[in-house]
Amino acid sequence: MRHAVKVRIYPTDEQVEALAKAFGCARWFWNNSLAETNRLYKETGKGLSQVGMNSRLPALKKEFEWLAEPYSQVLQSVSLNLSKAFINFFQGQAKFPNFKSKHGKQSIQYPQNVEITDAGLKLPKLGVITAKIHRVFEGKLKTVTVSLTPSGKYFASLLFDDEQPDLEASGAGKAVGIDLGLTHFAITSDGSKFDNPRVLKKHSRNLKRKQQKLSRKVKGSNTRKKARRLVARVHEKIANVRKDFLHKLSRKMVNENQVICVENLAVKNMVKNHNLAKAISDASWSEFTRMLSYKAGQDGKVYQEVDRFFPSSKACSVCLNRIGNLPLEVRSWQCERCGTKHDRDVNAAINIREEGLRILALGTSAAANRGKVSPKVGRRKSSVSEALPIEIGSPPSATEARSA
């Protein structure tokens, strides 16, 4: 099992200069390899593999002598990452690789020959860099990724491998359904509601002020560079506060439950609504579900997604009766069949939990109510298959409800 920890590092002036050269060489080799791959693909229909990219390095180092200054495996890691980016693109898991800019986040990788010392991290050609290593996992140190944020801070991500098998997931225990929203960030099937922190809204005034000052600076001046760094610090503050909330809530959900059921929301499609795009992006539902997934996997617990087309809000969690229309402004409703009064979000969370448990009991990823996702060509296919309409536990269709 692999574990990662991110630590703050404090390089000296000489090490900052060496890191800047390494960042520049890695960025240049990425852009050069990407451009060459695009050219070859247009001419021959085939691009460069990882071996092909590495085979170009000796000639490039003779032509551009400054490419030999950083650690050699830093550039070889660029070839590995670029080849993985192309593989993910052709598998429909990511967008086409982009060219890198010197104005964004910078990073390089050290795949080996890195040591953890009492003073910090010992990196090839850089020596010992002072670091605040607050946590060390047992096992072998596999990869160290050194990064520079737009706000001017240096970090190192340490990847450890304890060579132990992953914990086997067990569904025996408490199950919870989680419905994600905007007024309340998360609503659980046991009735708990967690408010949306709305981090971007709370810091929007400060961010606006810093951005206005930046817009008044002369392009290319040192004062503009300082203003850009101030804006980046505000963005970093917003991201850190949001991640802190998501980490604490996801850890709480994983610690208190054995089975966690959520909807596989299509956030990319939801943000096309320009009235809610900023609020949805600020909520970071996808990041929250990602945290739930990997934390549950590390603890040997079950993370189960329910099809987004499952009518969790419109179905009565008591008698499974489904209503025809339920606008977003309706936050509570009463079932016409059994007379139960429902809180819209709590009822949806209960239905998500029951549907997740039903899928786990079947041992498949079937979706109830004949829900089906039709993926487009070239994109990652959905694992959701069609369920039988006579399946026990599925809410009845509108025709079946009327006949009952």
Side-chain angles (χ1 to χ4, degrees), residues 298-400:
Q298 289 179 348
D299 293 357
K301 300 185 178 182
V302 178
Y303 170 81
Q304 178 62 49
E305 289 188 347
V306 174
D307 184 21
R308 66 180 69 103
F309 296 113
F310 174 71
S312 57
S313 299
K314 298 180 181 179
C316 174
S317 58
V318 177
C319 66
L320 304 181
N321 177 45
R322 192 196 312 175
I323 61 177
N325 187 27
L326 191 65
L328 285 175
E329 59 268 16
V330 179
R331 308 314 303 172
S332 61
W333 57 281
Q334 184 173 3
C335 178
E336 299 176 355
R337 176 184 292 182
C338 64
T340 306
K341 293 183 178 180
H342 293 292
D343 180 287
R344 177 195 182 108
D345 298 326
V346 175
N347 176 71
I350 295 174
N351 285 329
I352 291 172
R353 180 193 63 189
E354 298 303 320
E355 177 66 6
L357 293 176
R358 187 191 68 84
I359 294 174
L360 291 174
L362 291 175
T364 64
S365 57
N369 304 307
R370 297 174 287 279
K372 187 176 182 181
V373 178
S374 300
K376 294 183 179 180
V377 177
R379 294 186 180 180
R380 182 174 54 181
K381 295 184 178 180
S382 173
S383 60
V384 179
S385 60
E386 187 174 359
L388 296 176
I390 60 174
E391 200 168 82
I392 298 176
S394 300
S397 61
T399 304
E400 294 170 343

Side-chain angles (χ1 to χ4, degrees), residues 181-196:
L182 292 178
T183 303
H184 295 92
F185 177 83
I187 303 92
T188 63
S189 54
D190 56 10
S192 301
K193 295 184 177 181
F194 301 90
D195 291 334
N196 188 355

Side-chain angles (χ1 to χ4, degrees), residues 268-310:
K268 184 177 179 180
N269 295 334
M270 298 173 71
V271 295
K272 293 179 181 179
N273 182 347
H274 299 295
N275 295 325
L276 298 175
K278 182 181 289 188
I280 293 174
S281 300
D282 186 29
S284 296
W285 293 331
S286 297
E287 180 65 13
F288 178 66
T289 56
R290 187 191 69 85
M291 291 181 180
L292 286 175
S293 178
Y294 84 78
K295 290 178 182 179
Q298 289 179 348
D299 293 357
K301 300 185 178 182
V302 178
Y303 170 81
Q304 178 62 49
E305 289 188 347
V306 174
D307 184 21
R308 66 180 69 103
F309 296 113
F310 174 71

Side-chain angles (χ1 to χ4, degrees), residues 1-3 137-142 160-166:
M1 183 180 293
R2 294 190 174 186
H3 304 274
F137 293 98
E138 295 182 358
K140 181 181 179 182
L141 182 60
K142 300 288 289 185
F160 296 89
D161 188 357
D162 57 10
E163 299 181 353
Q164 297 295 325
D166 296 342

Side-chain angles (χ1 to χ4, degrees), residues 22-34 49-50 53-54 56-57 67 70-86 97 100 107-111:
F23 290 142
C25 291
R27 183 178 63 249
W28 184 91
F29 183 54
W30 172 285
N31 293 339
N32 181 270
S33 299
L34 179 57
S49 63
Q50 179 186 352
M53 295 177 193
N54 287 333
R56 300 175 62 246
L57 275 174
L67 277 179
Y71 184 50
S72 60
Q73 293 191 7
V74 167
L75 300 182
Q76 295 175 11
S77 297
V78 172
S79 303
L80 175 62
N81 294 332
L82 184 55
S83 63
K84 285 184 178 179
F86 275 110
K100 294 190 175 182
S107 65
I108 54 176
Q109 281 187 352
Y110 292 87

Side-chain angles (χ1 to χ4, degrees), residues 213-274:
K213 291 182 179 180
L214 173 62
S215 65
R216 300 189 188 104
K217 306 301 180 183
V218 179
K219 291 185 178 181
S221 62
N222 290 330
T223 55
R224 183 177 176 86
K225 293 180 181 179
K226 294 179 181 178
R228 286 186 60 183
R229 183 163 295 183
L230 292 177
V231 172
R233 290 178 61 181
V234 178
H235 280 293
E236 186 177 68
K237 175 68 174 180
I238 294 172
N240 289 339
V241 174
R242 184 187 295 118
K243 285 183 179 180
D244 180 72
F245 168 77
L246 296 178
H247 273 297
K248 289 178 179 178
L249 182 57
S250 60
R251 174 48 58 191
K252 176 181 175 63
M253 294 292 105
V254 173
N255 287 347
E256 296 179 354
N257 303 279
Q258 187 67 27
V259 180
I260 303 170
C261 306
V262 296
E263 284 183 309
N264 58 347
L265 299 174
V267 178
K268 184 177 179 180
N269 295 334
M270 298 173 71
V271 295
K272 293 179 181 179
N273 182 347
H274 299 295

